[in-house]
Amino acid sequence: MAKGLFDCTGKVTLVTGGNGGIGLGFAMGVAKQGGDIAIWARNAEKNAAAKAELIAAGAGRVETYIVDVSSEAAILAGYEQLVQDFGRIDCVFANSGASPRYNSIFDMPTEHWFEFQNTALHGAFFTLREGARHMKARAEAGEPGGSLVACGSGSLYQGLPGKQEYAASKCAVAGVIRCLASEMGEFGVRANVVAPGLILTPMMGPSDGPAAQYLTKQYAPQTPMRRLGAPEDFEGVGAYLCSDASSFLSGQTIYIDGGYQIRP
């Protein structure tokens, strides 16, 4: 049962890429505060598992949809179905992205650059734009408010050799968020970035597997908190940004990185 300062009861949150990892962690925070959740992702089996977890955590309602955010048409159709099902949208977490695959700019094919941006940049932009459109219409009908959130990364402040396509998408989306914060404030809508540090997700294999152990050994000692992040570390910020508790926070980047940005 949700209650108190971070109550999300009656609010509808869309999370793209929300059936695992950071997206599911964010959604779980909303679920624990009684919010309704829509998940956009491409794997039906993972969607079903995520739905069961979110319902068990306390979500008021959860619906999942097969939506490929690299397609503007799919995003428009996804919003049409979402609004038909829920009647409103209060928070959007544009989380879907792609993993960089190269270690040098000289190895990166031109087609990879464009394909990557279709999801990581263009998909995020269209997801945020359409969410903003619905929030503006609701405000003009007499009910202002809403929260637009994008997933950033440490590449907003740190150079990553060979990861230009990834860093470019994150920096561009952060710019979109700042512009949205400026434009949407009159409608009571805030816009912010959540920027993860190194987070151990299921994509890296089991937590005691070789990849996770290697990353922990390499990066945990450099992190002031002396550990890497986990999807659960995004529950609190999810509940905060989707609730009215964050109603005066806008245009900001919140780093969830255990202090890695300010490491000695």
Side-chain angles (χ1 to χ4, degrees):
M1 301 289 290
K3 309 324 153 198
L5 188 61
F6 303 107
D7 188 5
C8 294
T9 304
K11 296 186 183 299
V12 178
T13 295
L14 164 64
V15 182
T16 69
N19 64 8
I22 291 168
L24 182 55
F26 188 99
M28 191 64 68
V30 179
K32 289 181 178 181
Q33 295 301 314
D36 297 337
I37 301 164
I39 298 294
W40 285 0
R42 295 182 296 176
N43 185 305
E45 185 176 347
K46 288 180 64 178
N47 282 359
K51 179 175 181 176
E53 287 186 51
L54 293 166
I55 290 291
R61 177 183 179 184
V62 179
E63 300 294 341
T64 66
Y65 307 87
I66 303 295
V67 178
D68 180 356
V69 299
S70 68
S71 162
E72 181 184 6
I75 290 170
L76 295 176
Y79 268 109
E80 183 177 359
Q81 186 63 56
L82 188 160
V83 174
Q84 181 177 319
D85 290 344
F86 287 93
R88 60 185 296 119
I89 179 71
D90 297 278
C91 180
V92 174
F93 183 32
N95 168 69
S96 289
S99 298
R101 296 197 304 237
Y102 299 93
N103 295 319
S104 171
I105 191 172
F106 304 112
D107 298 329
M108 191 181 301
T110 300
E111 59 271 18
H112 169 75
W113 169 271
F114 287 108
E115 180 183 2
F116 191 96
Q117 304 310 330
N118 282 338
T119 297
L121 173 54
H122 304 149
F125 171 76
F126 294 132
T127 298
L128 293 165
R129 183 192 69 185
E130 294 308 305
R133 196 187 303 277
H134 284 278
M135 293 173 187
K136 177 177 180 288
R138 193 179 72 240
E140 291 174 338
E143 188 183 355
S147 180
L148 299 166
V149 186
C151 186
S153 84
S155 65
L156 296 178
Y157 63 83
Q158 181 181 26
L160 301 172
K163 306 299 185 280
Q164 286 83 359
E165 84 282 53
Y166 177 80
S169 70
K170 295 299 186 183
C171 291
V173 172
V176 169
I177 283 289
R178 287 191 292 271
C179 293
L180 281 168
S182 179
E183 184 171 354
M184 295 297 292
E186 66 175 295
F187 306 110
V189 176
R190 66 264 191 204
N192 296 284
V193 176
V194 171
L198 185 53
I199 312 299
L200 291 177
T201 69
M203 290 179 61
M204 299 174 184
S207 59
D208 58 352
Q213 289 183 343
Y214 170 79
L215 290 170
T216 299
K217 181 179 179 180
Q218 289 292 112
Y219 291 99
Q222 302 178 49
T223 303
M225 295 298 292
R226 296 297 189 269
R227 68 175 178 87
L228 302 188
E232 293 77 16
D233 291 313
F234 293 84
E235 293 182 9
V237 75
Y240 172 62
L241 290 177
C242 293
S243 73
D244 292 337
S246 61
S247 62
F248 201 54
L249 180 80
S250 197
Q252 302 303 307
T253 297
I254 303 171
Y255 290 101
I256 310 293
D257 66 354
Y260 188 82
Q261 183 186 11
I262 54 84
R263 66 193 186 281

